[in-house]
Amino acid sequence: MNELANGPASGSGDETESTRKFEEDLLGSEQDSLSDEEQTAVEALPSGNALLIVRRGPNKGARFLLDADLVTVGRHPNADIFLDDVTVSRRHAEISRSAGVFTVKDLASLNGTYLAGARVESAVLVNSGELQVGKYHFTFYASKKDS
């Protein structure tokens, strides 16, 4: 953060709000842009499948195919999506698929699971939405064949 956001308020606090808006715009544009390779991967997704792409955090750029009815996420080596970081619980979350709809469920993790910046116990994943597990920030992409 810069001094503008953390420094003493100089009047109405508009500077802090402007800085916050700038950061949201910057992060949002980072999420929305796909490399040619990522775009090709999303377009090639079979019906009923989805893709998680790491946008920020360890393993930035890594992709995880969601092609099963239940996918486990955690720091345990047997997790379907293994995230090797202390901010991730051993059994952190599950992603389930039912009738083409993907839902994330937090498994009472210490640091929580977040969707669009809000902590959730269970929530439906939306196309191009941000999912956060520990330090990992993912963008969720559903198959375009299901649109």
Side-chain angles (χ1 to χ4, degrees), residues 1-83:
M1 280 294 212
N2 61 29
E3 196 172 289
L4 181 62
N6 292 330
S10 59
S12 66
D14 290 336
E15 294 90 355
T16 302
E17 187 62 17
S18 295
T19 300
R20 187 174 300 122
K21 178 68 174 140
F22 173 76
E23 289 172 346
E24 290 171 1
D25 290 345
L26 179 65
L27 294 176
S29 65
E30 180 182 318
Q31 282 181 350
D32 296 340
S33 62
L34 290 173
S35 70
D36 291 341
E37 185 178 328
E38 291 169 338
Q39 184 66 42
T40 300
V42 169
E43 290 174 4
L45 282 171
S47 179
N49 292 335
L51 193 64
L52 286 176
I53 301 176
V54 179
R55 289 291 173 214
R56 288 190 295 152
N59 301 335
K60 181 178 177 180
R63 295 181 297 213
F64 298 95
L65 179 63
L66 302 176
D67 62 350
D69 289 336
L70 185 65
V71 175
T72 58
V73 181
R75 195 168 31 97
H76 191 282
N78 291 339
D80 298 313
I81 297 178
F82 172 62
L83 304 176

Side-chain angles (χ1 to χ4, degrees), residues 40-126:
T40 300
V42 169
E43 290 174 4
L45 282 171
S47 179
N49 292 335
L51 193 64
L52 286 176
I53 301 176
V54 179
R55 289 291 173 214
R56 288 190 295 152
N59 301 335
K60 181 178 177 180
R63 295 181 297 213
F64 298 95
L65 179 63
L66 302 176
D67 62 350
D69 289 336
L70 185 65
V71 175
T72 58
V73 181
R75 195 168 31 97
H76 191 282
N78 291 339
D80 298 313
I81 297 178
F82 172 62
L83 304 176
D84 191 16
D85 190 86
V86 296
T87 62
V88 177
S89 296
R90 290 174 63 75
R91 290 183 22 88
H92 198 103
E94 291 178 340
I95 299 172
S96 60
R97 174 181 66 184
S98 177
V101 175
F102 289 84
T103 304
V104 64
K105 178 182 177 188
D106 186 77
L107 299 176
S109 65
L110 181 61
N111 291 320
T113 300
Y114 295 80
L115 196 60
R119 191 169 183 157
V120 296
E121 296 300 317
S122 180
V124 172
L125 295 170
V126 296

